[in-house]
Amino acid sequence: MKRNTWQREAVREALSRTEGFVSAQALHASLRGTGSEVGLATVYRALADLAQEGEADSLVQEGESLYRACTPGSHHHHLICRSCGTAVEISADPVEAWARQVAAEHGFTRPEHVVDVFGLCPECSASADETASD
Amino acid sequence: MKRNTWQREAVREALSRTEGFVSAQALHASLRGTGSEVGLATVYRALADLAQEGEADSLVQEGESLYRACTPGSHHHHLICRSCGTAVEISADPVEAWARQVAAEHGFTRPEHVVDVFGLCPECSASADETASD
DNA sequence: TGCTACCTGAGAACGGTTCTCATGGTGCGA
DNA sequence: TCGCACCATGAGAACCGTTCTCAGGTAGCA
């Protein structure tokens, strides 16, 4: 069975306190910053477990795996701010249907899809405008 | 200016001969296999250039960057076989529109999207069925 | 409380990618 | 055609994120 250790719980909590996607390294640094002496390997293991159990979403950006706490059991995608990492869960029903249809048209079976939308969140958009107008 | 070297051309040709997505390492091995003594760093540089110029598409899978020759200038997505890497270019107009709309709804600006559909191509589906029925 | 199997953590190992820098070759002007 | 300047190349080291190793610790159960 899966044991409940304070380290695992600390990772879960740190992740749920985070608004957007964070890297394992950043989460590890954050935990160390709050006085939790958790090992890097443990953070990686905990995140992998959470992702496998559906309690966290993960995506790869620039060769780094990013994680985020998410609603377990619900299939959804993300709208992610390129600047600050803030993420919004979005449903993508039309895309689900489209993906299945496209796969079927080409004779592909067992379709899965990767759909993420990146952009600048309202706050970062405002900051970018200010910078641009300087 | 960008110089034309036989190494760069060799990478371009090797990539265009490939049907699906290949890793830089695999392409390098392939080039070495055909007697082209091209350095690994050069392959990486050439692929990065091709991707930047729009002559190649790239995606990251399991921490590895994969590349594929593509139609320059056209925005498209891919239907990729998980098993053999074969890829089909697909247009995704409905998804483009959806992505823009979702971004706008949440106040996100400068939307970009990552959309890839993975599955088993007809051939690999057939092979999988045979294996399953054994 | 004692036992045991699983978890932890420090650091090494690993794999893909990028960097370094001396050497070689391309492109261009004469 | 020749020479020059500068960019590209390539071998290997460096780098970076991730995974593995293994000894020691600890949760969970009886």
Side-chain angles (χ1 to χ4, degrees):
Chain A
M1 104 242 54
K2 198 139 300 229
R3 292 184 180 176
N4 296 321
T5 61
W6 68 265
Q7 290 98 331
R8 204 172 283 263
E9 201 53 37
V11 170
R12 189 197 304 267
E13 273 193 32
L15 193 66
S16 66
R17 270 198 304 272
T18 308
E19 293 209 1
F21 279 85
V22 284
S23 67
Q25 308 262 353
L27 205 64
H28 177 237
S30 157
L31 283 164
R32 285 298 180 101
T34 61
S36 299
E37 293 294 318
V38 181
L40 181 58
T42 302
V43 173
Y44 273 103
R45 279 188 286 243
L47 287 174
D49 284 349
L50 287 172
Q52 194 174 5
E53 291 160 12
E55 292 187 53
D57 282 322
S58 68
L59 62 86
V60 178
Q61 197 175 35
E62 292 174 14
E64 214 178 5
S65 289
L66 304 180
Y67 296 86
R68 177 175 186 270
C70 79
T71 320
S74 76
H75 180 72
H76 56 260
H77 297 276
H78 294 98
L79 175 58
I80 303 148
C81 177
R82 266 194 302 272
S83 178
C84 66
T86 293
V88 179
E89 290 189 4
I90 51 181
S91 70
D93 296 336
V95 179
E96 317 280 332
W98 167 84
R100 276 194 299 274
Q101 184 196 327
V102 164
E105 277 176 11
H106 291 84
F108 276 56
T109 60
R110 301 189 51 201
E112 291 173 14
H113 52 275
V114 175
V115 174
D116 285 305
V117 182
F118 294 86
L120 287 180
C121 71
E123 290 179 18
C124 290
S125 297
S127 306
D129 285 348
E130 279 177 27
T131 307
S133 63
D134 279 344
Chain B
M1 102 244 50
K2 198 138 299 224
R3 293 186 179 175
N4 296 322
T5 61
W6 66 266
Q7 291 97 333
R8 204 171 283 264
E9 202 52 40
V11 170
R12 188 197 304 269
E13 275 193 31
L15 193 65
S16 66
R17 269 199 304 273
T18 308
E19 294 210 359
F21 279 84
V22 283
S23 67
Q25 308 263 354
L27 206 63
H28 177 238
S30 157
L31 282 165
R32 286 298 181 99
T34 61
S36 300
E37 294 294 318
V38 182
L40 181 57
T42 302
V43 173
Y44 273 102
R45 279 188 285 244
L47 287 175
D49 284 349
L50 288 172
Q52 194 175 5
E53 290 161 13
E55 293 187 53
D57 282 321
S58 67
L59 61 87
V60 178
Q61 198 176 35
E62 293 175 13
E64 214 178 6
S65 289
L66 304 181
Y67 295 86
R68 178 174 185 272
C70 78
T71 319
S74 76
H75 180 72
H76 56 260
H77 297 276
H78 294 99
L79 175 57
I80 303 148
C81 177
R82 267 195 302 273
S83 177
C84 67
T86 292
V88 180
E89 289 188 6
I90 52 181
S91 71
D93 296 336
V95 178
E96 316 281 331
W98 167 84
R100 275 194 299 273
Q101 184 196 328
V102 164
E105 277 175 13
H106 291 84
F108 276 57
T109 60
R110 301 190 51 202
E112 291 175 13
H113 53 275
V114 175
V115 174
D116 285 305
V117 183
F118 294 86
L120 287 180
C121 71
E123 291 179 16
C124 290
S125 297
S127 306
D129 286 347
E130 281 176 24
T131 307
S133 62
D134 278 344

